[in-house]
Amino acid sequence: RRVHGGSFFANNMKCVLSSDGYCKALLHACRWPDKEVIGLLLGSIEKNQIVIRDAIPLFHSQTLSMMLEAALLQVEKYCESLESIRIVGCYFANSNLSDDRINVVATRLAERIASHYQHACVLAIDNKSIGDEEVSLPAKVYLWDPHQSMLKAHSDVQLEEGTKAALSAYMDSAVYTAIADFDDHFEDLSKDWTNTGIFLTKTGNKNLL
């Protein structure tokens, strides 16, 4: 249920990243390594945890307000068809590998999500660290602080066991080439922006964990 005007910043919240949600976001970035990509994070709030269960790729081109609104409406309708799943945040990757600034669109999305649902999480993907076995998490996590109207770095993050092995297998089998976002969908309506079954496309077996 949407909650207006009651947002608060819970610094003691743990952010739990599921294998599906985490891998979809990173594979979207891998699909367009020289583009700025952005997407939504779907999940639930469970006690003191933000649990990210899925990711919806939005765009790999310039994000236009009209297209963003259309995408958000479709994703919100999609969430209504799922049990206890809603938009809990967003993710992004910058086009320049050395650019570690927080994406402006991601910041605006986080503020909007937090104003509706109390919490918002942002996953900032570091493209150059994807696939680096020495990097435990090639992304930074931020939470929206409504009191200061800004994103704050968050360190209490838990990655589902086996996720790194799964991502490595998906990379090796080039699953990222099958990822479709709303840019793809708007050009070809047959492209499934939910990417349902994406992990069966190339591997033939999702039981990689």
Side-chain angles (χ1 to χ4, degrees), residues 3 40 47 57 76 122 141 150 159 194:
V3 179
L40 295 172
K47 296 182 179 179
E76 287 184 339
V122 172
V141 175
M150 63 182 294
L159 195 60
T194 69

Side-chain angles (χ1 to χ4, degrees), residues 20 23-24 27 170 175 197-206:
D20 279 4
C23 288
K24 275 188 185 179
L27 291 173
Y170 297 148
V175 172
I198 187 68
F199 299 128
L200 299 175
T201 303
K202 295 283 186 177
T203 64
N205 181 9
K206 186 182 181 299

Side-chain angles (χ1 to χ4, degrees), residues 3 10 30 33 47 51 54 67 89 103 108 111 119 161 174 203:
V3 179
C30 291
K47 296 182 179 179
V51 182
D54 200 0
M67 294 175 65
N103 183 288
R108 291 173 180 170
E111 181 176 18
H119 301 287
E161 185 177 355
T203 64

Side-chain angles (χ1 to χ4, degrees), residues 139-174:
K140 294 180 180 178
V141 175
Y142 298 86
L143 293 184
W144 180 258
D145 182 349
H147 301 300
Q148 298 186 33
S149 296
M150 63 182 294
L151 288 165
K152 288 188 175 181
H154 196 67
S155 60
D156 193 0
V157 181
Q158 177 183 329
L159 195 60
E160 182 180 354
E161 185 177 355
T163 297
K164 290 188 67 176
L167 178 63
S168 179
Y170 297 148
M171 293 286 290
D172 290 344
S173 54

Side-chain angles (χ1 to χ4, degrees), residues 13 31 42 62 68 85 99 124 147 152 168 170 192:
M13 294 287 286
R31 175 72 177 84
L42 308 185
Q62 183 179 5
L68 178 59
I85 297 296
D99 185 0
H147 301 300
K152 288 188 175 181
S168 179
Y170 297 148
D192 179 17

Side-chain angles (χ1 to χ4, degrees), residues 14-23 25-26 41-42 49-54 88 90-91 121-124 136-141 156-164:
K14 173 181 285 188
C15 185
V16 180
L17 301 170
S18 73
S19 178
D20 279 4
Y22 177 78
C23 288
L26 268 65
L41 300 172
L42 308 185
Q49 295 182 340
I50 299 176
V51 182
I52 296 170
R53 302 187 180 281
D54 200 0
V88 294
C90 61
Y91 68 86
C121 162
V122 172
L123 188 67
S136 59
L137 187 71
K140 294 180 180 178
V141 175
D156 193 0
V157 181
Q158 177 183 329
L159 195 60
E160 182 180 354
E161 185 177 355
T163 297
K164 290 188 67 176

